[in-house]
Each structure stands twice: as structure tokens, then as C-alpha cells.
Amino acid sequence: MTSVAAGKQWRAGHCVLAPDKFKGSLTAARVAAHLAAGLRQQRPDVPVVIMPVADGGDGTVDAVVESGFARLSTTVRGPGRARVVASFAIRDHTAVIELAQASGLHLNPGKPDATMALTASSIGTGELIKTAVERGARRVVLGLGGSACTDGGTGMLTALGVRFLDEHGHQLPPGGGSLRKLARIDASAMIRVPVTVASDVDNPLLGVRGAANVYARQKGARTADVDELERGLAHFASIVRRDLHVDVVDRPGAGAAGGVGYAALAFLDAQVRPGIELVLEQLGFAEQVAGARLVITGEGCLDRQTLHGKAPVGVARAAAAAGAAVVAVAGQCSLSDQQLRRAHIEQAYALTDIEPDPQICMTEAGPLLEQVARDIAQNWLADKRHLVTDNR
């Protein structure tokens, strides 16, 4: 079997395995490994390229490490300022960073509450960026998703050297709850590095679709807290306009990760791109899929959310553009055949089609995926005329 990490060793007619994770069950790498095992049982003569993917959120660092990036770990401050171990990936002076590694909601102990919602900080994300720059990164791909904070990215920027001062010249306390006290911004010592934000969120910073109104409640905010966070973000944006002469509050993606997207746009002149497009670019997917006969993608649940920029659709579009057939695997699938075809997916294989109990599908996902892979091999890899056996 040929792996992408091993280099350009495949032949025409190979099969590319590019699934996302099955959340709560298997990582993307494990999904790909089980698919490869099932294909090998049925068609050991078909070269396989293993390329787990992600859409910029949880699992993005793992995905690029599988493709040859180096993983580096460091200790940073989590959203509640307790020290946490977080990883990033680096290759050829490009660092790939997941906000959730350092500032994720899952890092807050206990159930999210109002105190957490008002004080959670993105400072650990900034510490990751700073460490990456110190390790030689000249460009950062920043995946946003799963954040615990609604601080407008001020924590991240603080770690990069920006000072957010109250009327007495004192540094503001962490979190979005203190933003209404902001009087002045000093960005003279800021560490500057080109940043591309990987995010599928198109929310602006403020308003009914903004960072506070849409996402703060899941981080523990009550109605009064949401209003306070909204006012704080609005005040922050007004000071940015005054001191930096920048206004990006309505830019799509500014509301991502509690306003970290806004901070990246306003202070780091970041570009925002769909997460899966960026990840595929870093993985070199276009090169890997050239000459492929079949691409297998997927995720835990194929549903309407999948159609809005999630990993399987991004993979399918890129693969279809290269002339490869695309099928998808999932724990469950609620998409119609027509919806799948519009997304360039020719067929979907759900674990619930062979095991109706969702809990068993979660716990036995690996063996079930191998069974599905055998079925895919029979249905899609039966014609040997297009296959070239890897005889190494």
C-alpha cells in the first residue's frame, strides 16, 4: 500500500482516501486506516494514497502532520489561564495552528458558566503563534473553531505584544467582559506575521449574526452577558477605528471564534478562506489526486451542514475537478441522492445501512468501515483495465 507520507510512489488508477474524523469515534487518520485495510482485503493490487483531512477546526494539525508537517508541542495559557499543552504543525516556514488546541471550549473545566463566558481569553492562541514564529514560521494558517472566548481576539493579540489599556493606562483584565473599559490600544510592539484564517464561518463581528449573539450562549453566557459582550465588542471596534483607522466589523468571518477572526483581519491583515480549501492546499491534494480512479471521503454525519463548506464537499469538488470519481462514507447520512450528486459525491455508504444501532456504529466504527470499504472495492474498483499494480 502506498501512503502519501512516503512520497510520490503511486501509479495511475490509484485510490485516494481523504476522510475527515468521525467525531466521538475515530480520528480522520484512523478512519483512513480502516478504509485502507478493507480495500486491501478486497483489492490488494490497487495502490492507495492515505490523506486524512480536516476543515480548519479540530483535527487540522493531525491532518497536516500525517502529510509530513512536523508536530511541535508547547505549554500555553488556556482560556481560563491554566497552563495547557498545545501542538502546532510546521513545514517550510508555514505553521498550521488550531485555536481549539489552546483556547478551546473543551479546555474549560466544568460546565460553561457566565464567569467563563466573560473572562475566557484567546491568549494561548497568540502564544502558539509567537512560538511558531520563534521556531521559524514566516506564515501562519490559523484554524478557527470550538473557542471558549468572546474577547474579540484581544487575548491572542496581547500575547503578540499589543497592549489594551484602560483610562488609567493599566492593562485590561482578560476576556470580553472588560472590553467596555478599553481607552487606548498600543500596537507598537506587535509581532507581525502573515496570517491566513481557515474558517467556514461568515458571521460579522456585531449584530444579530455576530460573535456574541450567535455563539456566546454555548460558552455559558446568559442574556445579560450576551448584551454585555456585544457592547464590549462594539466599543473595542470603535477604538480600533479611532487608533488603527481600520474598520472590518462587517467582513465575513470577523465573528469567528468569538471575534478572533476580527482581530486577525484588523491587526494582522489576514485573509479568510474556507478551511477545507486551505487544508487541501497544504496537503498538496491536487498533486496527489492526479490520475486517481477513485477518491473516498466522508465524516461522521453527512447532513445539510456538510453542504456548507465541510470537508467532504471540499474534497469532492477538488477530486471531481481532477476527473476522479468520489464516494463518501459516514456513520449516518441524511442527504438525498440528488443532494449528493450536486456536491459531486456519486454514492454514500453509511454505517447505519449495515448496523441500525447508532451506538454500535460508534463503538464498532472501525470494523464496519472495513466492511464498507470491501463493498466500495467491489462496486468501484472491479474493472482491472484502469489499474496498474504497484509491484514494489
Side-chain angles (χ1 to χ4, degrees):
M1 181 179 67
T2 305
S3 169
V4 62
K8 304 175 188 177
Q9 300 173 7
W10 60 89
R11 303 290 186 269
H14 63 285
C15 180
V16 177
L17 307 182
D20 199 351
K21 63 186 174 296
F22 278 32
K23 192 170 184 178
S25 182
L26 295 172
T27 65
R30 293 306 305 158
V31 173
H34 284 293
L35 289 172
L39 290 177
R40 187 168 60 245
Q41 292 164 20
Q42 192 69 32
R43 293 304 304 269
D45 56 330
V46 178
V48 173
V49 176
I50 296 176
M51 182 180 288
V53 300
D55 59 9
D58 179 30
T60 299
V61 167
D62 290 340
V64 297
V65 166
E66 287 287 327
S67 77
F69 277 67
R71 183 193 301 274
L72 297 179
S73 296
T74 187
T75 302
V76 299
R77 283 170 283 186
R81 268 76 66 207
R83 307 299 291 186
V84 299
V85 177
S87 299
F88 64 94
I90 189 166
R91 185 177 70 184
D92 298 335
H93 304 295
T94 294
V96 176
I97 292 173
E98 284 177 34
L99 173 141
Q101 289 257 346
S103 310
L105 185 60
H106 69 284
L107 296 173
N108 268 337
K111 185 177 180 180
D113 58 23
T115 299
M116 293 180 188
L118 294 171
T119 63
S121 170
S122 58
I123 191 166
T125 299
E127 290 174 331
L128 278 181
I129 295 173
K130 182 180 178 182
T131 300
V133 171
E134 291 170 349
R135 298 292 184 92
R138 298 175 189 166
R139 173 176 175 259
V140 170
V141 175
L142 177 60
L144 302 184
S147 76
C149 53
T150 313
D151 68 347
T154 52
M156 175 185 74
L157 294 169
T158 297
L160 295 178
V162 182
R163 300 174 69 214
F164 298 95
L165 307 172
D166 64 17
E167 62 181 351
H168 304 293
H170 299 142
Q171 183 77 21
L172 289 184
S178 66
L179 289 178
R180 290 185 67 195
K181 298 178 181 178
L182 179 64
R184 184 167 65 88
I185 298 171
D186 179 3
S188 59
M190 184 178 71
I191 296 171
R192 299 179 185 276
V193 60
V195 171
T196 304
V197 170
S199 176
D200 299 317
V201 171
D202 62 0
N203 304 72
L205 180 67
L206 304 173
V208 294
R209 296 187 60 249
N213 281 296
V214 175
Y215 300 109
R217 286 179 179 82
Q218 68 192 38
K219 304 172 187 181
R222 302 161 301 189
T223 299
D225 305 319
V226 172
D227 292 342
E228 182 174 351
L229 290 167
E230 175 75 5
R231 289 193 295 269
L233 291 170
H235 179 67
F236 172 39
S238 72
I239 301 298
V240 170
R241 281 193 296 270
R242 186 195 71 192
D243 290 2
L244 275 68
H245 310 292
V246 173
D247 187 359
V248 292
V249 293
D250 293 324
R251 288 270 294 275
V260 172
Y262 170 79
L265 288 165
F267 287 77
L268 300 173
D269 196 26
Q271 297 180 339
V272 179
R273 291 182 55 194
I276 185 58
E277 286 186 10
L278 267 173
V279 171
L280 292 179
E281 194 174 277
Q282 296 305 313
L283 296 178
F285 183 80
E287 181 182 14
Q288 311 293 354
V289 78
R293 183 179 182 187
L294 180 68
V295 173
I296 304 176
T297 187
E299 63 180 351
C301 186
L302 290 170
D303 56 21
R304 287 186 176 274
Q305 285 190 331
T306 304
L307 303 177
H308 297 285
K310 302 295 280 185
V313 170
V315 170
R317 286 173 179 163
V326 182
V327 299
V329 295
Q332 301 180 63
C333 178
S334 60
L335 298 176
S336 68
D337 290 345
Q338 186 178 28
Q339 287 173 314
L340 290 167
R341 284 193 295 272
R342 283 202 299 264
H344 304 286
I345 297 171
E346 298 191 37
Q347 189 171 355
Y349 293 77
L351 302 189
T352 51
D353 291 340
I354 55 178
E355 172 48 66
D357 188 330
Q359 187 57 42
I360 294 177
C361 288
M362 290 280 288
T363 58
E364 300 295 325
L368 290 170
L369 278 168
E370 293 183 23
Q371 181 176 337
V372 164
R374 292 193 293 269
D375 292 342
I376 291 173
Q378 287 183 323
N379 294 338
W380 291 91
L381 300 175
D383 185 356
K384 296 183 180 180
R385 290 177 299 171
H386 302 288
L387 298 177
V388 177
T389 304
D390 188 346
N391 291 317
R392 291 174 299 119

